[in-house]
mmCIF file of all heavy atoms in Angstrom:
data_model
loop_
_atom_site.group_PDB
_atom_site.id
_atom_site.type_symbol
_atom_site.label_atom_id
_atom_site.label_comp_id
_atom_site.label_asym_id
_atom_site.label_seq_id
_atom_site.Cartn_x
_atom_site.Cartn_y
_atom_site.Cartn_z
ATOM 1 N N THR C 262 76.134 306.728 -115.767
ATOM 2 C CA THR C 262 76.868 305.928 -116.754
ATOM 3 C C THR C 262 78.081 306.682 -117.297
ATOM 4 O O THR C 262 79.129 306.080 -117.518
ATOM 5 C CB THR C 262 75.966 305.476 -117.912
ATOM 6 O OG1 THR C 262 75.367 306.623 -118.529
ATOM 7 C CG2 THR C 262 74.877 304.532 -117.434
ATOM 8 N N THR C 263 77.949 307.989 -117.473
ATOM 9 C CA THR C 263 79.089 308.783 -117.934
ATOM 10 C C THR C 263 80.176 308.810 -116.865
ATOM 11 O O THR C 263 81.363 308.666 -117.167
ATOM 12 C CB THR C 263 78.653 310.212 -118.293
ATOM 13 O OG1 THR C 263 77.647 310.151 -119.310
ATOM 14 C CG2 THR C 263 79.825 311.041 -118.800
ATOM 15 N N HIS C 264 79.766 308.959 -115.610
ATOM 16 C CA HIS C 264 80.749 308.945 -114.518
ATOM 17 C C HIS C 264 81.467 307.607 -114.460
ATOM 18 O O HIS C 264 82.695 307.549 -114.304
ATOM 19 C CB HIS C 264 80.056 309.238 -113.186
ATOM 20 C CG HIS C 264 80.983 309.211 -112.022
ATOM 21 N ND1 HIS C 264 80.985 308.188 -111.110
ATOM 22 C CD2 HIS C 264 81.959 310.060 -111.634
ATOM 23 C CE1 HIS C 264 81.919 308.415 -110.210
ATOM 24 N NE2 HIS C 264 82.513 309.549 -110.500
ATOM 25 N N THR C 265 80.728 306.526 -114.603
ATOM 26 C CA THR C 265 81.336 305.193 -114.606
ATOM 27 C C THR C 265 82.325 305.061 -115.757
ATOM 28 O O THR C 265 83.434 304.557 -115.585
ATOM 29 C CB THR C 265 80.252 304.108 -114.709
ATOM 30 O OG1 THR C 265 79.347 304.262 -113.609
ATOM 31 C CG2 THR C 265 80.846 302.718 -114.692
ATOM 32 N N SER C 266 81.946 305.535 -116.920
ATOM 33 C CA SER C 266 82.817 305.484 -118.092
ATOM 34 C C SER C 266 84.087 306.309 -117.860
ATOM 35 O O SER C 266 85.189 305.861 -118.186
ATOM 36 C CB SER C 266 82.063 306.016 -119.307
ATOM 37 O OG SER C 266 82.911 306.151 -120.413
ATOM 38 N N TRP C 267 83.932 307.493 -117.294
ATOM 39 C CA TRP C 267 85.088 308.333 -117.017
ATOM 40 C C TRP C 267 86.024 307.657 -116.020
ATOM 41 O O TRP C 267 87.229 307.726 -116.161
ATOM 42 C CB TRP C 267 84.654 309.682 -116.463
ATOM 43 C CG TRP C 267 84.094 310.629 -117.482
ATOM 44 C CD1 TRP C 267 83.837 310.378 -118.796
ATOM 45 C CD2 TRP C 267 83.705 311.980 -117.249
ATOM 46 N NE1 TRP C 267 83.298 311.489 -119.394
ATOM 47 C CE2 TRP C 267 83.217 312.493 -118.461
ATOM 48 C CE3 TRP C 267 83.710 312.795 -116.135
ATOM 49 C CZ2 TRP C 267 82.748 313.793 -118.593
ATOM 50 C CZ3 TRP C 267 83.247 314.096 -116.256
ATOM 51 C CH2 TRP C 267 82.777 314.577 -117.473
ATOM 52 N N ARG C 268 85.460 307.028 -115.007
ATOM 53 C CA ARG C 268 86.294 306.378 -113.988
ATOM 54 C C ARG C 268 87.095 305.223 -114.594
ATOM 55 O O ARG C 268 88.207 304.955 -114.176
ATOM 56 C CB ARG C 268 85.446 305.862 -112.831
ATOM 57 C CG ARG C 268 84.795 306.962 -112.086
ATOM 58 C CD ARG C 268 84.944 307.015 -110.630
ATOM 59 N NE ARG C 268 85.717 306.036 -109.960
ATOM 60 C CZ ARG C 268 86.628 306.350 -109.056
ATOM 61 N NH1 ARG C 268 86.880 307.596 -108.778
ATOM 62 N NH2 ARG C 268 87.269 305.413 -108.417
ATOM 63 N N ARG C 269 86.513 304.538 -115.553
ATOM 64 C CA ARG C 269 87.222 303.422 -116.184
ATOM 65 C C ARG C 269 88.395 303.902 -117.025
ATOM 66 O O ARG C 269 89.421 303.251 -117.102
ATOM 67 C CB ARG C 269 86.265 302.622 -117.058
ATOM 68 C CG ARG C 269 85.305 301.794 -116.270
ATOM 69 C CD ARG C 269 84.406 300.997 -117.170
ATOM 70 N NE ARG C 269 83.453 300.252 -116.372
ATOM 71 C CZ ARG C 269 82.201 300.047 -116.725
ATOM 72 N NH1 ARG C 269 81.749 300.511 -117.865
ATOM 73 N NH2 ARG C 269 81.393 299.367 -115.947
ATOM 74 N N ARG C 270 88.227 305.048 -117.691
ATOM 75 C CA ARG C 270 89.258 305.561 -118.584
ATOM 76 C C ARG C 270 90.190 306.563 -117.926
ATOM 77 O O ARG C 270 91.187 306.944 -118.522
ATOM 78 C CB ARG C 270 88.610 306.259 -119.774
ATOM 79 C CG ARG C 270 87.891 305.332 -120.708
ATOM 80 C CD ARG C 270 87.417 306.095 -121.888
ATOM 81 N NE ARG C 270 86.433 307.084 -121.410
ATOM 82 C CZ ARG C 270 85.739 307.863 -122.198
ATOM 83 N NH1 ARG C 270 85.919 307.824 -123.483
ATOM 84 N NH2 ARG C 270 84.872 308.705 -121.699
ATOM 85 N N ARG C 271 89.848 307.014 -116.758
ATOM 86 C CA ARG C 271 90.546 308.126 -116.117
ATOM 87 C C ARG C 271 91.996 307.792 -115.767
ATOM 88 O O ARG C 271 92.286 306.747 -115.220
ATOM 89 C CB ARG C 271 89.796 308.506 -114.846
ATOM 90 C CG ARG C 271 90.356 309.701 -114.163
ATOM 91 C CD ARG C 271 89.488 310.069 -113.012
ATOM 92 N NE ARG C 271 90.343 310.390 -111.897
ATOM 93 C CZ ARG C 271 89.971 310.457 -110.672
ATOM 94 N NH1 ARG C 271 88.735 310.191 -110.355
ATOM 95 N NH2 ARG C 271 90.789 310.776 -109.731
ATOM 96 N N ARG C 272 92.830 308.716 -116.080
ATOM 97 C CA ARG C 272 94.213 308.654 -115.635
ATOM 98 C C ARG C 272 94.333 309.623 -114.472
ATOM 99 O O ARG C 272 93.722 310.669 -114.458
ATOM 100 C CB ARG C 272 95.157 309.065 -116.752
ATOM 101 C CG ARG C 272 95.193 308.071 -117.873
ATOM 102 C CD ARG C 272 96.321 308.409 -118.830
ATOM 103 N NE ARG C 272 96.404 307.399 -119.840
ATOM 104 C CZ ARG C 272 95.915 307.531 -121.068
ATOM 105 N NH1 ARG C 272 95.317 308.625 -121.410
ATOM 106 N NH2 ARG C 272 96.037 306.562 -121.943
ATOM 107 N N VAL C 273 95.154 309.306 -113.536
ATOM 108 C CA VAL C 273 95.313 310.163 -112.376
ATOM 109 C C VAL C 273 96.157 311.376 -112.766
ATOM 110 O O VAL C 273 97.295 311.227 -113.210
ATOM 111 C CB VAL C 273 95.976 309.398 -111.209
ATOM 112 C CG1 VAL C 273 96.201 310.306 -110.025
ATOM 113 C CG2 VAL C 273 95.111 308.215 -110.824
ATOM 114 N N HIS C 274 95.576 312.564 -112.627
ATOM 115 C CA HIS C 274 96.271 313.809 -112.923
ATOM 116 C C HIS C 274 96.567 314.596 -111.654
ATOM 117 O O HIS C 274 97.143 315.656 -111.716
ATOM 118 C CB HIS C 274 95.439 314.681 -113.866
ATOM 119 C CG HIS C 274 95.256 314.070 -115.207
ATOM 120 N ND1 HIS C 274 94.045 313.635 -115.671
ATOM 121 C CD2 HIS C 274 96.145 313.790 -116.198
ATOM 122 C CE1 HIS C 274 94.173 313.131 -116.872
ATOM 123 N NE2 HIS C 274 95.432 313.206 -117.216
ATOM 124 N N GLU C 275 96.160 314.079 -110.527
ATOM 125 C CA GLU C 275 96.366 314.764 -109.269
ATOM 126 C C GLU C 275 97.607 314.224 -108.588
ATOM 127 O O GLU C 275 98.075 313.143 -108.890
ATOM 128 C CB GLU C 275 95.168 314.558 -108.311
ATOM 129 C CG GLU C 275 93.843 314.981 -108.860
ATOM 130 C CD GLU C 275 93.066 313.824 -109.461
ATOM 131 O OE1 GLU C 275 93.278 312.675 -109.051
ATOM 132 O OE2 GLU C 275 92.264 314.068 -110.348
ATOM 133 N N THR C 276 98.079 314.988 -107.636
ATOM 134 C CA THR C 276 99.147 314.519 -106.789
ATOM 135 C C THR C 276 98.499 313.831 -105.601
ATOM 136 O O THR C 276 97.720 314.451 -104.869
ATOM 137 C CB THR C 276 100.019 315.695 -106.305
ATOM 138 O OG1 THR C 276 100.521 316.383 -107.447
ATOM 139 C CG2 THR C 276 101.160 315.197 -105.448
ATOM 140 N N LEU C 277 98.805 312.574 -105.409
ATOM 141 C CA LEU C 277 98.201 311.815 -104.340
ATOM 142 C C LEU C 277 98.961 312.043 -103.038
ATOM 143 O O LEU C 277 100.187 312.121 -103.035
ATOM 144 C CB LEU C 277 98.179 310.337 -104.692
ATOM 145 C CG LEU C 277 97.446 309.975 -105.982
ATOM 146 C CD1 LEU C 277 97.563 308.487 -106.267
ATOM 147 C CD2 LEU C 277 95.989 310.366 -105.888
ATOM 148 N N VAL C 278 98.225 312.173 -101.951
ATOM 149 C CA VAL C 278 98.823 312.358 -100.630
ATOM 150 C C VAL C 278 98.300 311.277 -99.697
ATOM 151 O O VAL C 278 97.238 310.708 -99.919
ATOM 152 C CB VAL C 278 98.506 313.759 -100.058
ATOM 153 C CG1 VAL C 278 99.164 314.843 -100.891
ATOM 154 C CG2 VAL C 278 97.015 313.985 -99.968
ATOM 155 N N ASP C 279 99.067 311.003 -98.642
ATOM 156 C CA ASP C 279 98.656 309.978 -97.687
ATOM 157 C C ASP C 279 97.465 310.412 -96.849
ATOM 158 O O ASP C 279 96.585 309.616 -96.546
ATOM 159 C CB ASP C 279 99.812 309.617 -96.751
ATOM 160 C CG ASP C 279 100.893 308.832 -97.472
ATOM 161 O OD1 ASP C 279 100.573 308.192 -98.484
ATOM 162 O OD2 ASP C 279 102.043 308.868 -97.014
ATOM 163 N N GLN C 280 97.444 311.682 -96.441
ATOM 164 C CA GLN C 280 96.357 312.174 -95.596
ATOM 165 C C GLN C 280 95.761 313.423 -96.216
ATOM 166 O O GLN C 280 96.482 314.267 -96.755
ATOM 167 C CB GLN C 280 96.852 312.520 -94.200
ATOM 168 C CG GLN C 280 97.143 311.319 -93.348
ATOM 169 C CD GLN C 280 97.484 311.751 -91.925
ATOM 170 O OE1 GLN C 280 98.145 312.738 -91.724
ATOM 171 N NE2 GLN C 280 97.001 310.995 -90.973
ATOM 172 N N LEU C 281 94.450 313.533 -96.100
ATOM 173 C CA LEU C 281 93.776 314.735 -96.557
ATOM 174 C C LEU C 281 93.978 315.834 -95.524
ATOM 175 O O LEU C 281 94.061 315.557 -94.327
ATOM 176 C CB LEU C 281 92.281 314.464 -96.725
ATOM 177 C CG LEU C 281 91.903 313.475 -97.812
ATOM 178 C CD1 LEU C 281 90.417 313.183 -97.758
ATOM 179 C CD2 LEU C 281 92.278 314.014 -99.169
ATOM 180 N N PRO C 282 94.029 317.091 -95.957
ATOM 181 C CA PRO C 282 94.112 318.169 -94.980
ATOM 182 C C PRO C 282 92.827 318.225 -94.160
ATOM 183 O O PRO C 282 91.781 317.730 -94.589
ATOM 184 C CB PRO C 282 94.279 319.422 -95.834
ATOM 185 C CG PRO C 282 93.799 319.044 -97.179
ATOM 186 C CD PRO C 282 94.011 317.564 -97.316
ATOM 187 N N GLU C 283 92.910 318.819 -92.979
ATOM 188 C CA GLU C 283 91.728 318.912 -92.108
ATOM 189 C C GLU C 283 90.568 319.561 -92.838
ATOM 190 O O GLU C 283 89.447 319.140 -92.724
ATOM 191 C CB GLU C 283 92.066 319.711 -90.836
ATOM 192 C CG GLU C 283 92.925 318.949 -89.873
ATOM 193 C CD GLU C 283 92.261 317.687 -89.361
ATOM 194 O OE1 GLU C 283 91.071 317.717 -89.006
ATOM 195 O OE2 GLU C 283 92.933 316.648 -89.321
ATOM 196 N N ARG C 284 90.837 320.606 -93.584
ATOM 197 C CA ARG C 284 89.788 321.273 -94.338
ATOM 198 C C ARG C 284 90.390 321.731 -95.653
ATOM 199 O O ARG C 284 91.378 322.455 -95.663
ATOM 200 C CB ARG C 284 89.230 322.457 -93.574
ATOM 201 C CG ARG C 284 88.094 323.096 -94.300
ATOM 202 C CD ARG C 284 87.218 323.874 -93.372
ATOM 203 N NE ARG C 284 86.018 324.212 -94.121
ATOM 204 C CZ ARG C 284 85.448 325.380 -94.087
ATOM 205 N NH1 ARG C 284 85.900 326.313 -93.308
ATOM 206 N NH2 ARG C 284 84.379 325.620 -94.812
ATOM 207 N N GLY C 285 89.778 321.325 -96.767
ATOM 208 C CA GLY C 285 90.294 321.675 -98.076
ATOM 209 C C GLY C 285 89.973 323.103 -98.450
ATOM 210 O O GLY C 285 89.105 323.746 -97.881
ATOM 211 N N TYR C 286 90.709 323.617 -99.422
ATOM 212 C CA TYR C 286 90.441 324.951 -99.927
ATOM 213 C C TYR C 286 89.140 324.931 -100.700
ATOM 214 O O TYR C 286 88.845 324.007 -101.432
ATOM 215 C CB TYR C 286 91.578 325.414 -100.842
ATOM 216 C CG TYR C 286 92.886 325.529 -100.119
ATOM 217 C CD1 TYR C 286 93.932 324.657 -100.379
ATOM 218 C CD2 TYR C 286 93.071 326.507 -99.154
ATOM 219 C CE1 TYR C 286 95.128 324.755 -99.715
ATOM 220 C CE2 TYR C 286 94.267 326.617 -98.476
ATOM 221 C CZ TYR C 286 95.287 325.741 -98.766
ATOM 222 O OH TYR C 286 96.461 325.842 -98.094
ATOM 223 N N GLY C 287 88.359 325.989 -100.552
ATOM 224 C CA GLY C 287 87.100 326.085 -101.274
ATOM 225 C C GLY C 287 86.065 325.106 -100.795
ATOM 226 O O GLY C 287 85.136 324.782 -101.502
ATOM 227 N N ASP C 288 86.216 324.614 -99.584
ATOM 228 C CA ASP C 288 85.246 323.663 -99.036
ATOM 229 C C ASP C 288 83.984 324.414 -98.673
ATOM 230 O O ASP C 288 83.945 325.133 -97.701
ATOM 231 C CB ASP C 288 85.829 322.969 -97.797
ATOM 232 C CG ASP C 288 84.907 321.907 -97.232
ATOM 233 O OD1 ASP C 288 83.914 321.578 -97.914
ATOM 234 O OD2 ASP C 288 85.183 321.412 -96.132
ATOM 235 N N ASP C 289 82.973 324.269 -99.504
ATOM 236 C CA ASP C 289 81.721 324.966 -99.246
ATOM 237 C C ASP C 289 80.660 323.986 -98.758
ATOM 238 O O ASP C 289 79.482 324.158 -99.001
ATOM 239 C CB ASP C 289 81.243 325.718 -100.493
ATOM 240 C CG ASP C 289 81.048 324.807 -101.689
ATOM 241 O OD1 ASP C 289 81.413 323.619 -101.625
ATOM 242 O OD2 ASP C 289 80.541 325.287 -102.693
ATOM 243 N N SER C 290 81.082 322.953 -98.061
ATOM 244 C CA SER C 290 80.140 321.941 -97.588
ATOM 245 C C SER C 290 79.234 322.486 -96.502
ATOM 246 O O SER C 290 78.215 321.886 -96.198
ATOM 247 C CB SER C 290 80.886 320.706 -97.091
ATOM 248 O OG SER C 290 81.765 321.054 -96.043
ATOM 249 N N GLY C 291 79.619 323.600 -95.883
ATOM 250 C CA GLY C 291 78.727 324.247 -94.937
ATOM 251 C C GLY C 291 78.946 323.833 -93.505
ATOM 252 O O GLY C 291 78.859 324.642 -92.610
ATOM 253 N N SER C 292 79.220 322.601 -93.245
ATOM 254 C CA SER C 292 79.414 322.189 -91.860
ATOM 255 C C SER C 292 80.478 321.106 -91.789
ATOM 256 O O SER C 292 80.744 320.405 -92.757
ATOM 257 C CB SER C 292 78.102 321.672 -91.268
ATOM 258 O OG SER C 292 77.782 320.424 -91.825
ATOM 259 N N LEU C 293 81.069 320.988 -90.636
ATOM 260 C CA LEU C 293 82.103 319.989 -90.438
ATOM 261 C C LEU C 293 81.538 318.589 -90.627
ATOM 262 O O LEU C 293 82.170 317.733 -91.219
ATOM 263 C CB LEU C 293 82.703 320.161 -89.034
ATOM 264 C CG LEU C 293 83.998 319.435 -88.760
ATOM 265 C CD1 LEU C 293 85.053 319.849 -89.781
ATOM 266 C CD2 LEU C 293 84.487 319.764 -87.367
ATOM 267 N N GLY C 294 80.314 318.339 -90.156
ATOM 268 C CA GLY C 294 79.695 317.022 -90.297
ATOM 269 C C GLY C 294 79.459 316.647 -91.742
ATOM 270 O O GLY C 294 79.675 315.511 -92.145
ATOM 271 N N ALA C 295 79.035 317.620 -92.542
ATOM 272 C CA ALA C 295 78.803 317.347 -93.962
ATOM 273 C C ALA C 295 80.119 317.043 -94.660
ATOM 274 O O ALA C 295 80.187 316.170 -95.520
ATOM 275 C CB ALA C 295 78.103 318.528 -94.625
ATOM 276 N N GLY C 296 81.184 317.759 -94.288
ATOM 277 C CA GLY C 296 82.496 317.505 -94.879
ATOM 278 C C GLY C 296 82.994 316.117 -94.528
ATOM 279 O O GLY C 296 83.574 315.419 -95.352
#
C-alpha cells in the first residue's frame, strides 16, 4: 500500500532513456536470466 501511494504521488526525478543499458551499474542480480 505504501508503494502504491508513492507511485501515485511520485514525480519523475530520473533521466529517462529510450533503451536500458545491457547491464546496469551495481547489478547484483547474480545472473543474466534473473536480470
Side-chain angles (χ1 to χ4, degrees):
T262 57
T263 302
H264 179 253
T265 302
S266 172
W267 284 6
R268 295 232 1 132
R269 287 181 182 143
R270 291 185 296 185
R271 185 175 137 197
R272 291 190 176 101
V273 177
H274 295 113
E275 303 96 26
T276 303
L277 302 177
V278 294
D279 289 336
Q280 286 186 321
L281 294 173
E283 287 298 316
R284 184 158 191 223
Y286 297 111
D288 184 10
D289 58 352
S290 59
S292 72
L293 194 56

